[in-house]
Amino acid sequence: MLNWNNLDTLSAYKELKVKKKTDLKAVMSGESGAERVKTYCVPMAEGLAYNYAAKAVDDDILASLKKLAEEAQLSEKFETLYDGAVVNTGEKRLVLHQLCRGQLGKNVVADGVDKRDFYVEQQKRIAEFANKVHEGKITNAAGEKFTTVVQIGIGGSDLGPRAMYIALENWAGQHGLLKMEARFISNVDPDDASAVLNSIDVAHSLFILVSKSGTTLETLTNEAFVKNALTRAGLDPSKHMIAVTSETSPLAKSDSYLDAFYMDDYIGGRYSSSSAVGGAVLSLAFGPEVFAQFLEGAHAEDVLAAEKDPLKNPDMLDALIGVYERNILGYPATAVLPYSQALSRFPAHLQQLDMESNGKSVNRFGEPVDYPTGPVIFGEPGTNGQHSFYQLLHQGTDIVPLQFVGFKNSQIGNDVDIQGSTSQQKLCANVAAQIVAFACGKEDANNNKNFKGGRPSSIIIGEQLTPKSLGALLAHFENKVMFQGFLWNLNSFDQEGVQLGKVLAKRVLAHDTDGALSEYSRLLDI
Amino acid sequence: MLNWNNLDTLSAYKELKVKKKTDLKAVMSGESGAERVKTYCVPMAEGLAYNYAAKAVDDDILASLKKLAEEAQLSEKFETLYDGAVVNTGEKRLVLHQLCRGQLGKNVVADGVDKRDFYVEQQKRIAEFANKVHEGKITNAAGEKFTTVVQIGIGGSDLGPRAMYIALENWAGQHGLLKMEARFISNVDPDDASAVLNSIDVAHSLFILVSKSGTTLETLTNEAFVKNALTRAGLDPSKHMIAVTSETSPLAKSDSYLDAFYMDDYIGGRYSSSSAVGGAVLSLAFGPEVFAQFLEGAHAEDVLAAEKDPLKNPDMLDALIGVYERNILGYPATAVLPYSQALSRFPAHLQQLDMESNGKSVNRFGEPVDYPTGPVIFGEPGTNGQHSFYQLLHQGTDIVPLQFVGFKNSQIGNDVDIQGSTSQQKLCANVAAQIVAFACGKEDANNNKNFKGGRPSSIIIGEQLTPKSLGALLAHFENKVMFQGFLWNLNSFDQEGVQLGKVLAKRVLAHDTDGALSEYSRLLDI
């Protein structure tokens, strides 16, 4: 029987609160620092490693974090999740995104079918469809190949797939795999759809309409936008559009689409990159084999996440350290800083994943919690960020914990040697330097040039950003967020906080307003 | 004589600390809410308006904020700045970015020249150069027109100009003004330059090398990258490249460039969008007239910023309310949420502008301050963000103040009517709804569906995002950040916090490391 207890009721948490803090600057200096970098490191899947040497923890704190993991039954809760329990209690749903990429536990039967079979079947259908498009067996009405794929979706149907597409675009180009250029329409701002439509050749474009419910306002509006454009160009929209949706949605089994691929209610939008939501666009853009490798990497990381000992489980350890920083050290934000231009939109995806999952004030039973939960998440790729907001990270009045990501090799491999080093070496040198600068600081008689140090960071290091390592990276953060939700005793899989705005927006459009809402509507000429 | 005193020594600040807080939910409900929306509004330049009805202030608090502005001598400090005092005390420099777009005060003479004349002269030279490119008088070696302009720069030489380019791209397209497509290379990650170079026709591309000092590692490395590509294509790099730099930099007056345009040490990178740094790329992309309009809008806002009464000065008022939220209410982050896809990278620019300017722990005399300074700034365009991190904003345990931006009209004007409203109306309805949802919340017997409200926001509303209103919007935030720096008694114009990382990165590349730095270098194969 699982105990779903609040974080502040756990004895290991109380122990951590009074435990001596780590003097990060001291322990990261000299030989002890070198030793930490060597030992405070956990292997991840696909050649990645999670190095937490520069986090403000020591063996004593880690021992308490391990106790906390046991007391909070993190492994057991993950097991109950992947075995098919109704972990999304608010919406009374199973949580099965890990099952899209492999089976970790028991067979999960829901809605009368084996769900693993269902996800594999969808992936297979997508692969066949994508192959036919690439082979020219599915074409536009004139019998010409599609050259561009356009995803129409918002939130989880946009940020994750878009970030993954950008992450693999150069890699695929390098491996001669890029079959189709992908574009994305998300915002209800009409300029978003207009700009994308103006920049593509609609006659050779295949649109993917992505909405689990089939009722998302932005997505349906943008669908109409696209259909208008196709019709104006003398084209039949139903020959240019596929749907990714749930089997029970109005979009399923409709003559309006060339075909439809399915997800279900057990996969939240922000966890849907490894479902048909990411699968359709990535399989069309890069070929189904690339998407299969991405899933393989994600599954390999999931397997590690099932390990009970947090010191051998990078996803759980990252989660525990994050909660320590949030609830014991009191830091309200976390920055995600990939030293890889290909991961330029990865922080925006993690921002949704983390803040939408754990930005909550009530526990899974609907009772208010008395401690901070999910932090603000933000980030931009390095080295760009170094010339931007790093000033505050180094010398601001608040401490912001950092999550770096770096790879030894670039994706394209084209490089120049300037002043005795390549660009890739400069990139890596910069992330190494930043970690030490944040942790150790540097004293200066001029206070304005003084760096206090003591600013914690971790780094995930990999050989290269490939479909497999990208899958592992994504799964790492999904699992981290899940474990943090368990620690905070939240339901990380619903999002009731987005409802009120929708209701009020409908009232504005129906001119059913009063008070302030009425005045804002007037100011905005609605 | 100006008093440069710390915030916590000011009597108006002490008064504010003990003053009764505003119950935002209460005052924004019913008729009082409607009345606030009508009255808590200050006109900005170019038809914009700053509406702060949904901020947690009332007439009493506003009166104290006005006292605070007077006591901190905000107007006088701005005046001394635009009249040419050495306000950047750390680097002993004048601060003259406002002078790029118009003269607010006395003639400023520095380095033996009238600086307004100097900036106007550079703008004129850029206009002439851009016109010659557009007219085909300056061409590639084969006598063909350039079709693409590529900015090579990082930090302030990238984020601002890139955000402004994206903001105006569709508008210019709509007005038949788009002359050249612009691209940007910033990151030292070799994949950044490779990807851009792979996607353009280098033979018809004009590159702008932007570095004030002429020594920025990333930019010089990427210059070499680009020169390699040009040479490999059998082209002469010096016929494809211009420089934007200071007159004393190694890039000035060099045969390596077609021409060079100048800025100076009195314009910080993050404030350089209205200097030659933004001017070259925007004038080439859209024509010099568009850039001139952008400057006109910025200057019009600067004129308003010189107004002494904060209730008539939107930039000063925004600054005061922000400091109230940061230092009295204790909120550590602020989200910038433009309901305009064209402003998709505007938050990233503001992130640099704000966090690099005011992310500091010592005052302008190098003495540590005892109060929080610049907050974390982040944001994404709406409605996209609604389907992402808004969950935390609505129901998370921390309150995050919000800055909305919205326009009555889209840029392209192409729209569809679905379910009785256009996309633009849906966009505007959503931002109106969000403000009220955040402020007023909604009670629900189910705690998970309960919205506490009391979450403050402001909105800047405009007719349309045009070059002029974009200029005003940018100047608003530049001035806001400046006033906040005055309130916190910081030097907002240096960035010593970025130095240590540079020093350590050089040591890594020289293999002059020990301890942790040595081990990180090993892990990253440097």
Side-chain angles (χ1 to χ4, degrees):
Chain A
M1 196 52 198
L2 292 174
N3 296 310
W4 296 96
N5 293 326
N6 280 6
L7 177 67
D8 55 2
T9 65
L10 305 179
S11 62
Y13 177 72
K14 291 172 190 163
E15 184 180 305
L16 276 162
K17 281 193 90 160
V18 296
K19 186 147 285 193
K20 189 167 182 290
K21 307 295 179 284
T22 302
D23 180 344
L24 182 61
K25 187 172 171 176
V27 297
M28 280 298 284
S29 298
E31 274 317 296
S32 94
E35 190 57 29
R36 280 172 69 98
V37 181
K38 278 188 256 184
T39 54
Y40 275 18
C41 197
V42 196
M44 294 170 57
E46 307 301 346
L48 301 173
Y50 173 68
N51 193 300
Y52 56 100
K55 284 294 189 187
V57 295
D58 57 22
D59 289 349
D60 198 28
I61 291 168
L62 288 167
S64 294
L65 289 174
K66 188 171 170 177
K67 270 196 227 171
L68 183 64
E70 285 160 9
E71 198 180 354
Q73 300 180 305
L74 297 187
S75 279
E76 292 81 353
K77 286 173 185 169
F78 183 29
E79 191 179 344
T80 200
L81 180 149
Y82 62 66
D83 278 347
V86 180
V87 171
N88 179 354
T89 42
E91 299 176 307
K92 300 192 174 44
R93 290 175 181 170
L94 288 64
V95 175
L96 298 181
H97 55 277
Q98 282 100 350
L99 200 59
C100 288
R101 48 222 194 194
Q103 186 134 5
L104 290 165
K106 295 179 190 162
N107 286 358
V108 179
V109 178
D111 310 329
V113 299
D114 180 289
K115 295 309 295 188
R116 174 68 187 152
D117 290 348
F118 170 75
Y119 298 135
V120 169
E121 171 67 16
Q122 295 310 312
Q123 196 193 335
K124 209 172 130 197
R125 290 182 57 231
I126 288 169
E128 284 166 8
F129 183 88
N131 284 334
K132 281 185 192 165
V133 169
H134 296 151
E135 291 160 7
K137 291 179 185 163
I138 294 174
T139 64
N140 70 7
E144 299 155 339
K145 273 192 174 190
F146 290 111
T147 57
T148 304
V149 54
V150 184
Q151 177 110 331
I152 308 170
I154 194 164
S157 303
D158 170 56
L159 288 165
R162 192 193 295 245
M164 301 308 127
Y165 172 77
I166 294 170
L168 295 178
E169 193 178 4
N170 292 328
W171 184 88
Q174 190 58 18
H175 290 75
L177 283 169
L178 185 59
K179 301 294 198 305
M180 295 173 79
E181 189 197 9
R183 304 295 303 271
F184 296 82
I185 297 173
S186 53
N187 203 329
V188 79
D189 180 348
D191 286 342
D192 188 16
S194 292
V196 171
L197 289 168
N198 287 345
S199 73
I200 60 171
D201 168 15
V202 290
H204 298 91
S205 295
L206 181 64
F207 296 85
I208 311 176
L209 188 73
V210 189
S211 170
K212 183 160 68 180
S213 64
T215 62
T216 314
L217 175 79
E218 284 88 343
T219 303
L220 295 186
T221 303
N222 281 321
E223 178 190 22
F225 219 104
V226 166
K227 282 187 173 171
N228 266 11
L230 287 164
T231 307
R232 267 204 314 274
L235 301 164
D236 175 356
S238 71
K239 303 292 180 217
H240 283 263
M241 208 172 268
I242 62 174
V244 174
T245 188
S246 70
E247 286 180 293
T248 54
S249 105
L251 311 179
K253 299 168 185 85
S254 155
D255 289 344
S256 301
Y257 310 105
L258 271 172
D259 209 337
F261 305 100
Y262 303 113
M263 61 182 309
D264 60 31
D265 282 344
Y266 312 133
I267 297 175
R270 57 195 175 272
Y271 295 94
S272 67
S273 290
S274 33
S275 77
V277 171
V281 64
L282 296 175
S283 299
L284 282 161
F286 307 129
E289 181 51 34
V290 169
F291 184 62
Q293 289 172 23
F294 168 76
L295 295 184
E296 200 184 310
H299 179 62
E301 187 67 23
D302 289 341
V303 169
L304 291 179
E307 160 66 42
K308 280 191 190 311
D309 181 353
L311 296 179
K312 296 176 185 162
N313 179 336
D315 309 0
M316 190 188 286
L317 184 59
D318 195 355
L320 287 160
I321 294 174
V323 166
Y324 179 75
E325 291 175 331
R326 178 74 167 134
N327 296 86
I328 308 286
L329 301 179
Y331 304 144
T334 296
V336 180
L337 307 167
Y339 275 61
S340 162
Q341 190 64 23
L343 291 177
S344 60
R345 290 301 285 168
F346 196 68
H349 172 57
L350 293 191
Q351 191 173 57
Q352 176 187 18
L353 176 67
D354 203 319
M355 293 173 72
E356 196 172 26
S357 294
N358 292 335
K360 299 179 181 163
S361 301
V362 299
N363 69 11
R364 54 191 298 107
F365 307 111
E367 300 153 353
V369 296
D370 290 330
Y371 43 81
T373 59
V376 164
I377 302 287
F378 70 101
E380 292 285 335
T383 56
N384 288 2
Q386 291 178 204
H387 295 258
S388 168
F389 54 87
Y390 277 36
Q391 164 66 39
L392 182 145
L393 303 182
H394 279 290
Q395 292 188 319
T397 48
D398 292 357
I399 290 182
V400 180
L402 313 170
Q403 294 221 276
F404 291 106
V405 179
F407 300 94
K408 298 177 195 175
N409 303 296
S410 68
Q411 288 187 312
I412 300 177
N414 185 23
D415 210 332
V416 288
D417 200 300
I418 305 288
Q419 298 173 6
S421 60
T422 63
S423 288
Q424 184 64 29
Q425 286 168 328
K426 291 184 182 78
L427 182 69
C428 288
N430 271 280
V431 69
Q434 289 295 334
I435 296 172
V436 173
F438 280 115
C440 300
K442 187 183 136 290
E443 287 185 21
D444 197 297
N446 177 347
N447 274 332
N448 198 31
K449 299 184 182 203
N450 193 50
F451 292 79
K452 280 189 199 157
R455 300 187 178 225
S457 69
S458 62
I459 181 167
I460 291 172
I461 297 177
E463 293 294 324
Q464 191 186 38
L465 183 62
T466 63
K468 285 186 187 180
S469 61
L470 178 66
L473 192 66
L474 177 74
H476 170 79
F477 284 101
E478 289 182 357
N479 294 328
K480 174 193 169 179
V481 167
M482 171 193 71
F483 285 128
Q484 293 194 326
F486 291 158
L487 286 162
W488 285 317
N489 205 26
L490 307 174
N491 175 9
S492 302
F493 305 102
D494 66 354
Q495 53 282 320
E496 292 296 339
V498 307
Q499 294 306 325
L500 178 56
K502 287 186 196 175
V503 172
L504 294 182
K506 274 190 192 161
R507 280 184 44 199
V508 173
L509 291 170
H511 301 286
D512 171 26
T513 59
D514 54 13
L517 192 53
S518 174
E519 288 304 317
Y520 282 118
S521 303
R522 192 183 54 76
L523 286 181
L524 284 153
D525 268 2
I526 308 162
Chain B
M1 196 54 197
L2 292 174
N3 295 310
W4 297 96
N5 293 325
N6 280 5
L7 177 66
D8 55 2
T9 65
L10 305 180
S11 62
Y13 177 73
K14 291 171 191 165
E15 183 179 304
L16 276 161
K17 281 193 91 161
V18 296
K19 186 148 282 192
K20 189 165 181 292
K21 307 295 178 285
T22 302
D23 181 343
L24 182 60
K25 188 172 168 176
V27 297
M28 280 298 283
S29 297
E31 274 317 297
S32 92
E35 190 56 30
R36 280 172 70 98
V37 180
K38 278 188 256 185
T39 54
Y40 276 18
C41 196
V42 195
M44 294 170 57
E46 307 302 346
L48 300 173
Y50 173 68
N51 193 300
Y52 56 101
K55 284 294 191 188
V57 295
D58 56 23
D59 289 349
D60 198 28
I61 290 169
L62 288 168
S64 293
L65 289 174
K66 188 172 171 177
K67 271 197 226 170
L68 183 65
E70 286 161 8
E71 197 179 354
Q73 299 179 305
L74 297 187
S75 278
E76 293 81 353
K77 287 174 185 169
F78 183 30
E79 190 178 346
T80 201
L81 181 148
Y82 62 65
D83 277 347
V86 180
V87 171
N88 178 354
T89 44
E91 299 175 305
K92 300 192 173 43
R93 291 175 180 170
L94 288 64
V95 176
L96 299 181
H97 54 275
Q98 281 101 349
L99 200 58
C100 288
R101 48 218 194 197
Q103 186 133 8
L104 290 166
K106 295 178 190 162
N107 286 358
V108 178
V109 178
D111 311 328
V113 298
D114 180 290
K115 295 309 294 188
R116 174 69 188 151
D117 289 349
F118 170 74
Y119 298 135
V120 169
E121 171 67 15
Q122 295 310 312
Q123 195 193 334
K124 207 173 131 196
R125 290 183 56 232
I126 288 169
E128 284 166 7
F129 182 88
N131 283 334
K132 282 185 190 165
V133 170
H134 296 153
E135 292 159 5
K137 292 179 184 162
I138 294 174
T139 63
N140 70 5
E144 298 155 339
K145 274 193 172 188
F146 290 111
T147 56
T148 304
V149 54
V150 184
Q151 176 111 328
I152 308 171
I154 195 164
S157 302
D158 171 56
L159 288 165
R162 194 195 292 247
M164 301 309 128
Y165 172 76
I166 294 170
L168 295 178
E169 194 179 3
N170 292 327
W171 184 89
Q174 190 59 18
H175 289 75
L177 285 168
L178 185 59
K179 301 294 198 307
M180 296 174 78
E181 189 197 9
R183 304 295 302 272
F184 297 82
I185 298 174
S186 53
N187 204 327
V188 78
D189 180 346
D191 287 342
D192 189 16
S194 293
V196 171
L197 289 168
N198 287 345
S199 73
I200 60 171
D201 168 15
V202 289
H204 298 90
S205 295
L206 181 64
F207 296 86
I208 312 175
L209 188 73
V210 189
S211 170
K212 184 162 65 179
S213 66
T215 62
T216 313
L217 174 78
E218 284 89 343
T219 303
L220 295 186
T221 303
N222 281 322
E223 178 190 24
F225 219 105
V226 166
K227 282 186 172 170
N228 267 10
L230 287 164
T231 307
R232 267 205 315 275
L235 302 163
D236 176 355
S238 71
K239 303 291 181 223
H240 283 262
M241 208 172 268
I242 62 174
V244 174
T245 188
S246 70
E247 285 180 294
T248 55
S249 107
L251 311 180
K253 299 168 184 85
S254 156
D255 289 342
S256 300
Y257 309 104
L258 271 174
D259 210 337
F261 305 99
Y262 303 114
M263 62 182 309
D264 60 31
D265 281 344
Y266 312 130
I267 297 174
R270 56 193 175 274
Y271 295 94
S272 67
S273 291
S274 33
S275 77
V277 171
V281 63
L282 296 176
S283 299
L284 283 161
F286 307 129
E289 180 52 33
V290 169
F291 183 63
Q293 288 173 23
F294 169 75
L295 296 184
E296 199 184 310
H299 179 63
E301 187 67 22
D302 290 341
V303 170
L304 291 180
E307 159 67 42
K308 280 190 191 313
D309 181 353
L311 296 180
K312 295 176 185 163
N313 180 335
D315 310 359
M316 189 187 286
L317 184 60
D318 195 355
L320 287 161
I321 294 174
V323 166
Y324 179 76
E325 291 175 330
R326 177 76 166 131
N327 297 86
I328 308 285
L329 300 179
Y331 304 144
T334 296
V336 181
L337 307 167
Y339 276 61
S340 162
Q341 190 64 24
L343 291 176
S344 61
R345 291 301 286 168
F346 195 70
H349 172 56
L350 293 191
Q351 191 173 57
Q352 175 187 18
L353 176 67
D354 202 319
M355 293 174 71
E356 196 172 26
S357 295
N358 292 335
K360 300 182 180 159
S361 301
V362 299
N363 69 12
R364 53 191 298 109
F365 307 111
E367 300 155 353
V369 297
D370 290 329
Y371 43 81
T373 60
V376 164
I377 302 288
F378 69 100
E380 293 285 335
T383 56
N384 289 2
Q386 291 179 204
H387 295 258
S388 169
F389 54 86
Y390 277 36
Q391 164 67 40
L392 182 145
L393 303 182
H394 279 289
Q395 292 188 319
T397 48
D398 292 358
I399 289 181
V400 180
L402 313 171
Q403 292 220 277
F404 291 105
V405 180
F407 300 94
K408 296 178 196 175
N409 302 297
S410 69
Q411 288 187 312
I412 301 178
N414 185 20
D415 210 331
V416 287
D417 200 301
I418 304 288
Q419 296 174 6
S421 60
T422 64
S423 287
Q424 185 64 28
Q425 286 169 327
K426 291 184 183 78
L427 182 69
C428 289
N430 271 279
V431 71
Q434 289 294 334
I435 297 171
V436 173
F438 280 115
C440 299
K442 186 183 136 291
E443 287 185 22
D444 197 297
N446 177 348
N447 274 331
N448 198 32
K449 300 184 182 201
N450 193 51
F451 292 78
K452 279 187 199 157
R455 302 188 176 223
S457 69
S458 62
I459 181 168
I460 292 172
I461 297 177
E463 293 292 325
Q464 191 186 38
L465 184 62
T466 63
K468 286 187 187 180
S469 61
L470 178 66
L473 192 66
L474 178 74
H476 170 79
F477 284 101
E478 289 182 357
N479 294 328
K480 174 193 170 181
V481 166
M482 172 193 71
F483 285 127
Q484 293 195 326
F486 292 156
L487 286 162
W488 286 315
N489 205 25
L490 307 175
N491 175 7
S492 303
F493 305 102
D494 66 354
Q495 54 281 322
E496 291 296 339
V498 306
Q499 295 305 326
L500 178 57
K502 286 187 197 175
V503 171
L504 293 182
K506 275 190 189 160
R507 281 184 45 198
V508 173
L509 291 170
H511 300 287
D512 170 26
T513 59
D514 55 12
L517 192 53
S518 176
E519 289 303 319
Y520 281 118
S521 303
R522 193 181 55 75
L523 286 182
L524 283 153
D525 269 1
I526 307 161

